[in-house]
Amino acid sequence: MFSPLRALARCSPRRPAKAYRPSPSCRLPPRSHPSFDRRLSSQSASTRTPPKHILLVNKLRTKPVVDAIETLLSHIRQKYPGTVVFHEDRPDIPQGVEVWKSGDGAAPIDLVVTLGGDGTILHASSLFKIGAVPPVLSFSMGTLGFLLPFHIDDFDAALESAFLGKAAILYRMRLSCTFFNQEGKELGKQGDAWQVMNEVALHRGRSPHLDTIDVFVDGQHLTECVGDGLIVSTPTGSTAYSLSAGGPIVHPSLSALVLTPICPRSLSFRPLVFPSSSSITLRIGDRSRAPAGVSMDGQEAYVLSPGESVTVRASPYPIPCINRSSIVEPSYDRGKEGAGPGTEDDWVRDINNLLQYNATFRSKALLRHSRP
C-alpha cells in the first residue's frame, strides 16, 4: 500500500544532527546587558562580572520573609561591601535599601533576587517591560514551583556563585504582545509592547456566551476558534495555565509558541506548537457575541471588542534565570531541609517531583508506604 509519509521519508535526505542554537528572536541584543555571557551557540550562559547593583523583589512580608530579608541584607553588607541593594517602591520597603522605580531613567540593575513563589518571579519580569532583563536569582519561601531553583537556606552559596561568575544561566523566552483596534492601528504607545513570561490568555470572562476568535499565523488565517478562549504560552508557561487546558509540556530551553484552546466547541481543535519566528494574531471575530478579556501572566490587561486584536511574537529580551545546575560541586553536602544545589536538570527534577510525571497509582502507593 502506498504511504505518502514513507515516500516522503525516502525522498528526503537525512540531515546530520546539529547542536541546538537559539532562534535569533530569542537571543539578547549585542548591548542588552553586560552581566552575563551571550553565547550564541548555547541556550545557557554564565554570569561574567560581579553584580554591583541588586534589586530585591519579595512577596508579602510575612515574618519568615522579613527574617530572610534581614539575614540576606546583613550577609551582602558583610561579604560584598559596596554593593547597592534596591527595592521597588512599596510601603513595606526594608531598611537600609534604596528605592527603585521601573521605567525610563531607572537605576541600572545587575542582578535581581526574588524571595517568594513563581508569582514573585513573574512580577519581577513585569518590572522590565522594555529592554533587557538582568539575571534573576530566585529563592523559594516555603513554596514549590517550576521557577524556584534555590531554597532560601542556600542563599550564601548561590550568591557566592553569582559574584564569582560561576552561576549557570538559562534564557527563558518571553512574549512580546501588541494590541490593535478595528482599523489596525496600534493601541497605546507605538513600540511599547507588553513583555510576558508565561502566557497570554483571551477568555470570555463573566460572559455567558462563547468567544469567536480568528487565529492568524504569519498573516495567514489558520482557523476560527469558538470556545471559552485561547492561550499563547512560552515553553516556561507550558506547565501553567496551558497545561491545565490540555496543552503540551515543552522544555524551557526550546524557542517556541504554544497555542492552546480553552474548552473549544470543536473536538478536533488540538494544541499546536509553532517556532519562535512565528507571529500569532488573535482577532475577536465580528460575529462574536461578547468581548474577550486579555490576561497576561495572571494580570488583567485589556478587554478586546469585536474587530480588535493582539499580535504575539517572541520577545528579543528573554529572562536569564540562574539555575541550580553547575552552581556547586556534586559533593556539596547541604545537611538542611530540601534538596541542595547540584548538577541535575532543574526541569527534569521538577516535572518528576512537582507534577509526579507518569506516576501510576501503584508507584504512588509504593512511594507512600516506603517513607520512614
Side-chain angles (χ1 to χ4, degrees):
M1 180 180 297
F2 173 77
S3 172
L5 294 179
R6 293 180 180 177
L8 180 62
R10 288 195 297 268
C11 296
S12 302
R14 291 184 176 270
R15 296 180 179 180
K18 295 182 179 181
Y20 171 76
R21 293 177 182 268
S23 168
S25 62
C26 195
R27 294 175 188 165
L28 294 172
R31 295 185 179 181
S32 58
H33 205 278
S35 297
F36 45 89
D37 182 14
R38 293 174 290 276
R39 300 178 190 173
L40 301 184
S41 62
S42 173
Q43 188 75 358
S44 297
S46 61
T47 54
R48 175 182 292 177
T49 57
K52 297 180 180 179
H53 303 86
I54 296 178
L55 176 63
L56 182 63
V57 181
N58 59 273
K59 66 177 184 178
L60 185 64
R61 294 191 68 190
T62 59
K63 189 178 186 307
V65 175
V66 172
D67 295 340
I69 292 176
E70 292 179 354
T71 303
L72 183 66
L73 292 177
S74 176
H75 177 79
I76 293 176
R77 295 188 186 104
Q78 292 178 6
K79 194 167 184 179
Y80 309 104
T83 302
V84 182
V85 180
F86 293 88
H87 193 281
E88 59 180 320
D89 192 6
R90 284 172 28 179
D92 59 349
I93 183 172
Q95 294 182 353
V97 301
E98 297 189 16
V99 177
W100 185 86
K101 295 182 179 180
S102 61
D104 297 335
I109 299 298
D110 302 314
L111 178 68
V112 178
V113 176
T114 68
L115 288 83
D118 284 353
T120 308
I121 304 177
L122 296 180
H123 175 65
S125 170
S126 69
L127 298 177
F128 299 88
K129 289 186 173 67
I130 302 176
V133 184
V136 177
L137 179 60
S138 54
F139 296 100
S140 64
M141 290 296 302
T143 57
L144 296 176
F146 278 90
L147 306 178
L148 302 172
F150 296 98
H151 191 274
I152 188 59
D153 292 340
D154 295 314
F155 73 88
D156 51 349
L159 284 174
E160 181 180 7
S161 298
F163 275 87
L164 293 179
K166 298 180 180 180
I169 286 180
L170 172 68
Y171 296 135
R172 288 186 177 267
M173 173 183 168
R174 288 202 297 178
L175 300 177
S176 176
C177 310
T178 309
F179 296 88
F180 300 91
N181 60 16
Q182 292 89 339
E183 289 75 29
K185 295 182 179 180
E186 185 175 338
L187 298 174
K189 296 181 181 179
Q190 188 173 7
D192 189 9
W194 284 70
Q195 304 291 316
V196 181
M197 186 175 183
N198 264 2
E199 76 278 311
V200 179
L202 272 68
H203 52 84
R204 62 189 180 104
R206 297 182 179 181
S207 173
H209 305 292
L210 299 180
D211 278 328
T212 301
I213 305 172
D214 288 310
V215 183
F216 299 85
V217 178
D218 296 329
Q220 183 178 2
H221 187 263
L222 173 66
T223 188
E224 179 187 70
C225 170
V226 180
D228 284 356
L230 281 170
I231 302 170
V232 180
S233 75
T234 63
T236 297
S238 68
T239 53
Y241 191 7
S242 176
L243 180 62
S244 299
I249 300 176
V250 184
H251 196 283
S253 67
L254 298 178
S255 296
L257 304 175
V258 181
L259 178 67
T260 307
I262 306 173
C263 298
R265 186 173 66 180
S266 171
L267 296 180
S268 61
F269 195 169
R270 291 293 179 263
L272 296 172
V273 181
F274 297 95
S276 61
S277 58
S278 299
S279 173
I280 300 179
T281 297
L282 306 179
R283 179 182 180 273
I284 309 303
D286 296 329
R287 297 185 295 108
S288 185
R289 300 175 62 184
V294 182
S295 63
M296 299 183 175
D297 287 346
Q299 298 181 358
E300 290 290 339
Y302 275 91
V303 176
L304 297 181
S305 301
E308 297 181 334
S309 63
V310 57
T311 297
V312 183
R313 53 176 58 92
S315 170
Y317 304 107
I319 295 186
C321 296
I322 297 180
N323 279 2
R324 286 158 44 111
S325 306
S326 304
I327 290 294
V328 295
E329 297 298 328
S331 59
Y332 175 79
D333 185 12
R334 182 166 177 272
K336 301 176 182 178
E337 180 185 358
T343 59
E344 74 276 12
D345 189 313
D346 295 353
W347 181 80
V348 173
R349 182 203 67 225
D350 287 340
I351 65 169
N352 282 322
N353 294 343
L354 300 181
L355 287 186
Q356 297 294 312
Y357 178 70
N358 198 32
T360 63
F361 293 107
R362 182 173 180 272
S363 62
K364 288 182 179 179
L366 291 175
L367 180 64
R368 183 172 63 252
H369 290 292
S370 63
R371 294 174 181 172

